Amino acid sequence: MKKFSMSLVAALSLCLPLTANANVQLGLGIDKGLGISAQIDNVQLFAGNDGVSLDYKFEQGTFKQNAPFSWYIAAGAYAGEHDYGLRVPFGIKLHFAKGWHLYGQLAPQLEMHDDDHRNDDDELQFGLSTAIGVRYSF
């Protein structure tokens, strides 16, 4: 999984020059372990020491016009060391300084486990994951 994560980070760094007109945000977070958090326009990417995730924000807004908080709803997928699945993150962002924001999210997910690492006979399980991080907008 670590080779896959490093390959993903390398591929993302090669794609960054293609995003010259995009809103690019980079930072650190805890989602699938500790790792690199990125957002390019409405696409959120995470590569950590326990897995990777990719989400698309399809709805977002603010609570009040001048409030430092905003919210979003996304849909995506993740892959970990022994599981993978689909998820729907619900998140909030705190814009605390120019270009900086702190984010947190809860993500209900449909989990699929590798056969060798299942704890029971069910192939599909529902779960809930959390994430927190900080990003800087370029």
Side-chain angles (χ1 to χ4, degrees), residues 1-16:
M1 178 53 70
K2 290 184 181 186
K3 285 184 180 182
F4 178 74
S5 297
M6 294 306 288
S7 298
L8 179 65
V9 170
L12 289 174
S13 65
L14 293 174
C15 293
L16 286 177

Side-chain angles (χ1 to χ4, degrees), residues 48-93:
N49 55 357
D50 291 336
V52 296
S53 66
L54 180 126
D55 303 309
Y56 179 77
K57 289 183 179 180
F58 62 87
E59 193 69 45
Q60 53 192 330
T62 58
F63 293 105
K64 291 186 178 179
Q65 189 169 358
N66 293 327
F69 287 99
S70 62
W71 59 270
Y72 62 89
I73 304 172
Y78 73 94
E81 291 187 35
H82 304 296
D83 63 340
Y84 54 94
L86 304 173
R87 65 189 202 162
V88 180
F90 298 90
I92 59 170
K93 293 180 5 180

Side-chain angles (χ1 to χ4, degrees), residues 16-24 40-41 138:
L16 286 177
L18 301 175
T19 61
N21 295 328
N23 178 12
V24 177
I40 302 170
D41 288 334
F138 293 92

